[in-house]
Amino acid sequence: MNNALIPLRFNDADEGAFHQALQAQAKRYLTDSGDHRFANRRAFIKAGLILATGVVCYILSLRTSQPVFFVAGYTAFALLMMWLNIDVNHDASHQTFTRHRIWNAFISRAVTLPTGIEPVYWRVRHVSYHHRYANIEHYDLDTEENGIFRQTPFQRWRRWMRFQRFYWPLIAALSLSWIGVVFDWADRLGRTPLQAERLLPGARGWAAFIFSKTGHLLLMLGLPVMMGHSVWLVLGIYCLTQMCTSLLVVFLLLGTHWAGAAFYQAPEGDTPVMAHGWYYHNFTTACDWHTPQRWLETFTGGLNYHLTHHLFPGWHHRHYPMLSRIVSTLAREHGLPYRCISYSDLRAAQRIFLARMGAPHAA
């Protein structure tokens, strides 16, 4: 089965001046501050504190004999580990948490274990497809047609989709499990465009993949049951925390590519080239949003600066507040449609988008 996509390029003829100015100001910012683009000591300490607190919560949940304390500790562990995925694994997947690929890979595999997701497949889907081809039909694997939920104007409409603005939170809550069970196995069995990437080859690849699955089940289900907790209690809190952590990520992410965003189809041909440039594409398919209070950015992992992240995927998220100001200024000078909206505006735009995509014959 050949699922490989034809390489797609962007027409960057008119974006040279913006590119040079953007890179020059970003480089000057680093030089003037004597800094680098990776995580710093503060980011390492923050990650260490989150991890340590999560491990303590997990151990306490195993050792307690009281169901209420087990549920509290288990839930805290799941939420803290998802925070690590947002704050650390996202950067590690972009090779920006540390300077060393092997450490970034190790961190990703360790941090994703509580989620049940294979980190190698997620990284390639995210970095090589979503970042490169955001909101392009068939190329952005995050918006693949699934027959349940319509999220681009080019996908087939079905009758039940008129209600998707009401049932989308359930879809969001199941997204994490869907990635771990459906996407990962489809990728593993060569039924997606990732087949062309030849990821996790041979017996060692299968061993790493099976480790991520069995390790997840042992950590989140096996050990609590072996420590004497009720099977039904463990299974119930597992399902609940998987749904809650999935919702947490989706509420931070999805609206950034829906709120007033454009969607595109790839041109036909053996060497397709988009009519517009890569920078324009990112400005029209994503936006930044600001938290009600600045301190809340501690919990977003930089995902609220989502357009800025797409322009600077090779920079740790601690730089995004300053980089977003550079992007905003230069975008005005070069006529590019930079948007930074409030979270309430983001949610409102998301509701409008879901209703429009759920309407019959919407385009």
Side-chain angles (χ1 to χ4, degrees):
M1 179 180 291
N2 183 11
N3 296 294
L5 295 170
I6 299 174
L8 178 63
R9 295 188 300 109
F10 292 88
N11 183 355
D12 296 327
D14 299 325
E15 296 188 337
F18 176 77
H19 171 76
Q20 292 176 11
L22 184 65
Q23 297 303 315
Q25 290 209 21
K27 183 178 180 179
R28 187 178 308 120
Y29 153 64
L30 279 187
T31 302
D32 292 346
S33 58
D35 207 345
H36 53 76
R37 59 186 177 86
F38 303 96
N40 59 6
R41 180 179 300 178
R42 182 176 179 181
F44 290 137
I45 293 173
K46 178 184 177 183
L49 289 174
I50 298 172
L51 177 61
T53 305
V55 170
V56 168
C57 289
Y58 181 73
I59 293 174
L60 291 177
S61 73
L62 294 181
R63 295 176 63 87
T64 184
S65 60
Q66 299 298 318
V68 65
F69 293 132
F70 166 73
V71 168
Y74 186 101
T75 302
F77 169 70
L79 291 173
L80 287 166
M81 293 307 292
M82 181 50 69
W83 187 10
L84 269 185
N85 273 275
I86 294 169
D87 200 78
V88 175
N89 179 47
H90 186 217
D91 287 302
S93 296
H94 284 281
Q95 308 299 331
T96 63
F97 190 71
T98 79
R99 299 173 184 267
H100 308 289
R101 286 183 173 272
I102 190 169
W103 278 111
N104 285 322
F106 174 80
I107 290 168
S108 288
R109 188 159 294 280
V111 170
T112 55
L113 201 60
T115 69
I117 292 174
E118 169 50 54
V120 172
Y121 292 146
W122 185 86
R123 174 180 56 79
V124 174
R125 278 177 166 267
H126 180 71
V127 175
S128 300
Y129 290 87
H130 170 65
H131 265 266
R132 189 176 298 171
Y133 307 120
N135 287 16
I136 299 180
E137 191 73 6
H138 304 305
Y139 281 78
D140 184 353
L141 302 186
D142 285 355
T143 60
E144 286 182 291
E145 186 168 3
N146 53 47
I148 302 170
F149 185 70
R150 186 169 184 253
Q151 53 181 328
T152 83
F154 310 116
Q155 294 174 356
R156 179 183 172 186
W157 179 85
R158 294 172 171 84
R159 287 176 297 175
W160 51 85
M161 292 175 179
R162 68 175 74 239
F163 304 109
Q164 71 176 25
R165 67 183 185 276
F166 303 115
Y167 66 72
W168 89 268
L170 177 61
I171 302 299
L174 297 174
S175 295
L176 187 65
S177 298
W178 187 267
I179 293 172
V181 175
V182 178
F183 282 2
D184 278 356
W185 279 100
D187 292 337
R188 184 68 226 173
L189 297 175
R191 298 181 180 277
T192 72
L194 266 66
Q195 179 191 31
E197 306 290 339
R198 302 185 181 278
L199 304 169
L200 298 176
R204 292 180 63 182
W206 269 107
F209 181 78
I210 296 301
F211 170 81
S212 73
K213 301 305 176 186
T214 57
H216 167 72
L217 294 176
L218 178 64
L219 179 71
M220 304 304 289
L221 294 172
L223 283 177
V225 171
M226 286 189 285
M227 293 299 292
H229 295 289
S230 163
V231 172
W232 292 111
L233 176 63
V234 174
L235 188 60
I237 194 60
Y238 168 78
C239 292
L240 182 62
T241 54
Q242 287 289 103
M243 294 175 71
C244 288
T245 52
S246 183
L247 274 173
L248 175 64
V249 175
V250 171
F251 269 77
L252 286 175
L253 272 179
L254 276 187
T256 54
H257 290 290
W258 290 351
F263 290 83
Y264 299 97
Q265 289 182 300
E268 296 182 356
D270 295 332
T271 57
V273 180
M274 299 294 289
H276 54 260
W278 183 82
Y279 282 108
Y280 178 84
H281 183 85
N282 281 282
F283 276 99
T284 59
T285 56
C287 67
D288 289 343
W289 56 271
H290 53 82
T291 57
Q293 289 83 33
R294 179 66 184 272
W295 65 269
L296 289 172
E297 292 180 5
T298 302
F299 302 101
T300 67
L303 295 183
N304 58 303
Y305 295 104
H306 206 69
L307 168 59
T308 300
H309 166 59
H310 270 256
L311 299 183
F312 290 94
W315 292 55
H316 186 266
H317 73 262
R318 67 188 176 91
H319 294 295
Y320 292 166
M322 177 58 72
L323 291 174
S324 69
R325 291 194 280 273
I326 294 174
V327 171
S328 175
T329 300
L330 290 178
R332 287 194 298 270
E333 294 176 2
H334 291 264
L336 288 166
Y338 174 77
R339 293 177 298 136
C340 184
I341 61 180
S342 69
Y343 187 63
S344 59
D345 288 340
L346 180 77
R347 294 293 308 281
Q350 179 174 285
R351 289 192 295 269
I352 293 171
F353 172 80
L354 289 170
R356 182 164 65 88
M357 289 298 100
H361 311 297

